[in-house]
């Protein structure tokens, strides 16, 4: 995965074989976008203990509609507004890879 940096050299997304991931695509900076082949979905991280109020509100809205949540020991990857044929599971694998790469690149 090739990380996308902003003007301050902060990771804001990534490019990979057949797609892209962006951290934030809305003006409130609450959710991102993944594009993988012909599929798109919005995504964000949620933690019941640490998420700010705007993320909590978004979470409550999203769980009322079609969504997918992968819970990693309290930290949840939440996907919603999926369009396309790639499964939620495959999308969340790409997001996991991105988050792992982002952690590794920021530790140097």
């Amino acid at each position: 995965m090739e990380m996308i940096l902003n003007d301050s050299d902060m990771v804001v997304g990534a490019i990979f074989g057949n797609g892209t991931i962006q951290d934030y695509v809305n003006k409130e900076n609450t959710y991102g976008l993944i594009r993988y082949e012909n599929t798109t979905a919005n995504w964000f991280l949620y933690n019941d203990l640490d998420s700010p109020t705007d993320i909590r509100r978004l979470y409550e809205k999203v769980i009322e509609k079609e969504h997918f949540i992968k819970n990693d020991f309290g930290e949840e990857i939440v996907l919603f507004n999926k369009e396309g044929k790639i499964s939620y599971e495959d999308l969340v694998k790409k997001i996991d890879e991105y988050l792992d790469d982002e952690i590794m690149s920021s530790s140097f």
Side-chain angles (χ1 to χ4, degrees):
M1 240 179 231
E2 179 184 335
M3 295 297 158
I4 300 170
L5 305 176
N6 66 11
D7 293 338
S8 302
D9 289 334
M10 301 287 297
V11 175
V12 294
I15 299 170
F16 57 91
N18 295 333
T20 61
I21 296 175
Q22 294 171 266
D23 287 345
Y24 301 113
V25 294
N26 65 333
K27 65 181 178 179
E28 294 84 15
N29 289 341
T30 53
Y31 61 86
L33 176 72
I34 181 167
R35 290 184 178 103
Y36 186 29
E37 296 181 5
N38 294 329
T39 300
T40 62
N42 294 114
W43 71 280
F44 64 97
L45 297 177
Y46 178 80
N47 181 307
D48 199 37
L49 299 174
D50 298 328
S51 291
T53 304
D54 56 348
I55 299 292
R56 290 176 187 271
R57 280 192 217 121
L58 176 61
Y59 183 84
E60 290 184 15
K61 284 182 189 177
V62 165
I63 61 173
E64 293 176 4
K65 301 175 184 176
E66 182 182 346
H67 66 282
F68 179 85
I69 296 173
K70 179 186 178 211
N71 190 333
D72 277 339
F73 308 106
E75 182 85 329
E76 297 178 2
I77 299 173
V78 182
L79 286 94
F80 64 107
N81 291 344
K82 182 175 90 75
E83 295 182 14
K85 295 182 181 185
I86 302 291
S87 70
Y88 279 114
E89 291 82 359
D90 287 342
L91 293 173
V92 86
K93 283 179 192 174
K94 286 296 181 187
I95 294 170
D96 265 338
E97 288 175 26
Y98 166 63
L99 295 172
D100 288 346
D101 286 353
E102 183 179 16
I103 288 169
M104 290 303 295
S105 69
S106 68
S107 65
F108 291 106

